[in-house]
Amino acid sequence: MKRLLPGVLILSLLLTLTACEPAPSNPTETVANPFTQGTAAPSGSGSSTQAAATSGAAEPSEQNSSHSGSYGFSNKIEDDVAGYYDYTGGELHVCFDFDSSDDFSVCGIGPLLYLDGIPQPYKTDEEPWYSYIHVFYPEYHAGVDPKVGHATYLVMDLYFIPVTGEAGDALELYGTPVSNPYMDPRDPEFSNYYLVQRLAQDTPARVIFQETPPTLELPEVPDQVLSHTVTYADESSLQSWSPEQLQIQHEYDCTINGKKRPQNTNSWIWYGFDQEPITLDFYIYGGSYVNYTLVCYKNYQPISIDPEDIVWVEVKDGQRTKIQVQIDMSDFDGSTPICFMTVLVPRNLLAYEDGTSAYGDHYGCRFEKVNFFYFGGEEE
């Protein structure tokens, strides 16, 4: 973790992009599952539909207007709790399947992985080195009827040595796709593919450890965390929640430098940032059964992989959890927008301590992509 110097002030597919959910000081509804159709079972794949393109986004001429698709781990073992993998040493091989009515052959698609809430580097057959993201460019079959089969279908073979865990553990593994990661949002071809980043649903599985993994030499990542804190305070609005609601619902809110992302624009870019550190304030309450990590990315790389920078998130009955993360922006001169994404990753969603299934009881406390947008300098 970098230390903040004295005197320096310090993140498929719906129709609209929102940076945060309702504020904790005046809760009105629980955080919704971002997918209104095709909801995944814990051992199945994520899926989504979209009725129309986002206003202002370029629509590829051959795309199917329904924007349907699905994704998930496909080579799991199934039991009464969820799909799982046995880890018996060395590298673990998982298959991440992706299909869609849209064309990803040019913009590309690739998953982010998390194990026990920690970003998990992996490698592929085509790129046999460890990275937090690898991008695939699947062949597009124009004219395929999505009622019969999708026009894009890809099985991604991913290999990794777990970054955490030891013999006897059963840890949760999440995968979520991101698309078009290398495209500048100012490009006229920039499209609504980016809704995958904001709202793609989780695809959970478990890794059951028969062996303790060897230590993995992690990819080099600049440490951009200046500081972080987690504090708790009583939340009066929770007094009206039932004990059941306190376990199965959660709400959150967030600001950056005390402000919310502008909502009166179709732009993906939030202007007004230029080399200044930022302060992310994130608030969560409800859903006290589930523990999380809060992971931030800049340009699809975690802002730190230092163990002391892992933001462990515990939610307590009747209290609001506040997480504050101060992030270095010295690599940003305003000339090229920087992608920023914040992800809330569950660690104990799938099973109770006795090993029985908990997913159905705690469905409302699932994986969330809290933020997705680009930092910009002066508005053009």
Side-chain angles (χ1 to χ4, degrees), residues 219-243:
E220 187 172 334
V221 171
D223 185 349
Q224 300 174 84
V225 174
L226 299 171
S227 67
H228 70 81
T229 58
V230 181
T231 57
Y232 303 91
D234 291 339
E235 176 56 52
S236 59
S237 63
L238 293 177
Q239 295 177 3
S240 63
W241 289 32
S242 69

Side-chain angles (χ1 to χ4, degrees), residues 14-20 54 194-195 197-199 261-263 265-269 371-374:
L14 291 181
L15 294 176
T16 60
L17 178 70
T18 58
C20 305
T54 301
Y194 276 94
L195 291 171
Q197 268 82 323
R198 172 62 183 94
L199 296 170
R261 181 179 181 274
Q263 298 298 301
T265 176
N266 291 318
S267 173
W268 295 88
I269 304 175
N371 277 309
F372 174 73
F373 59 86
Y374 283 77

Side-chain angles (χ1 to χ4, degrees), residues 187-209:
D187 190 306
E189 296 300 320
F190 187 92
S191 77
N192 61 347
Y193 289 125
Y194 276 94
L195 291 171
V196 175
Q197 268 82 323
R198 172 62 183 94
L199 296 170
Q201 151 183 343
D202 60 316
T203 61
R206 293 173 300 152
V207 177
I208 298 177
F209 287 78

Side-chain angles (χ1 to χ4, degrees), residues 78 99 111 119 124 136 151 156 167 179 195 219 256 279 283 305 315 339 351:
E78 301 289 343
D99 62 71
T124 69
F136 296 77
M156 301 174 231
S179 65
L195 291 171
I256 291 176
T279 299
Y283 305 85
I305 56 173
V315 185
C339 173

Side-chain angles (χ1 to χ4, degrees), residues 4-70:
L4 187 63
L5 296 176
V8 179
L9 299 176
I10 40 163
L11 169 299
S12 83
L13 308 176
L14 291 181
L15 294 176
T16 60
L17 178 70
T18 58
C20 305
E21 301 300 331
S25 58
N26 185 26
T28 57
E29 60 182 352
T30 59
V31 175
N33 173 9
F35 293 88
T36 57
Q37 302 182 39
T39 300
S43 59
S45 301
S47 63
S48 65
T49 60
Q50 180 181 349
T54 301
S55 175
E59 175 81 0
S61 60
E62 293 186 335
Q63 302 288 40
N64 182 287
S65 61
S66 67
H67 301 289
S68 59
S70 64

Side-chain angles (χ1 to χ4, degrees), residues 75-87:
N75 61 330
K76 309 177 301 294
I77 306 168
E78 301 289 343
D79 64 12
D80 293 337
V81 176
Y84 71 93
Y85 297 95
D86 270 327
Y87 179 73

Side-chain angles (χ1 to χ4, degrees), residues 100-266:
S100 174
S101 59
D102 293 325
D103 182 0
F104 291 86
S105 62
V106 175
C107 71
I109 193 83
L112 299 172
L113 299 183
Y114 308 86
L115 183 62
D116 196 30
I118 301 173
Q120 173 69 62
Y122 62 93
K123 62 184 184 180
T124 69
D125 291 323
E126 295 78 13
E127 298 180 344
W129 56 85
Y130 278 97
S131 177
Y132 290 97
I133 184 172
H134 293 269
V135 181
F136 296 77
Y137 298 90
E139 183 179 357
Y140 178 67
H141 303 281
V144 175
D145 184 350
K147 295 180 181 179
V148 179
H150 284 101
T152 294
Y153 180 75
L154 177 67
V155 177
M156 301 174 231
D157 291 295
L158 315 178
Y159 308 88
F160 63 87
I161 294 175
V163 294
T164 186
E166 59 184 24
D169 287 343
L171 303 181
E172 295 187 9
L173 174 70
Y174 286 81
T176 187
V178 296
S179 65
N180 223 0
Y182 304 129
M183 192 170 185
D184 189 323
R186 299 168 299 181
D187 190 306
E189 296 300 320
F190 187 92
S191 77
N192 61 347
Y193 289 125
Y194 276 94
L195 291 171
V196 175
Q197 268 82 323
R198 172 62 183 94
L199 296 170
Q201 151 183 343
D202 60 316
T203 61
R206 293 173 300 152
V207 177
I208 298 177
F209 287 78
Q210 310 300 332
E211 300 285 344
T212 298
T215 300
L216 174 65
E217 183 176 350
L218 298 174
E220 187 172 334
V221 171
D223 185 349
Q224 300 174 84
V225 174
L226 299 171
S227 67
H228 70 81
T229 58
V230 181
T231 57
Y232 303 91
D234 291 339
E235 176 56 52
S236 59
S237 63
L238 293 177
Q239 295 177 3
S240 63
W241 289 32
S242 69
E244 181 182 23
Q245 286 176 311
L246 288 170
Q247 287 199 341
I248 67 173
Q249 296 179 187
H250 73 275
E251 295 185 8
Y252 58 76
D253 188 26
C254 59
T255 62
I256 291 176
N257 290 351
K259 300 178 180 179
K260 294 188 178 183
R261 181 179 181 274
Q263 298 298 301
N264 58 350
T265 176
N266 291 318

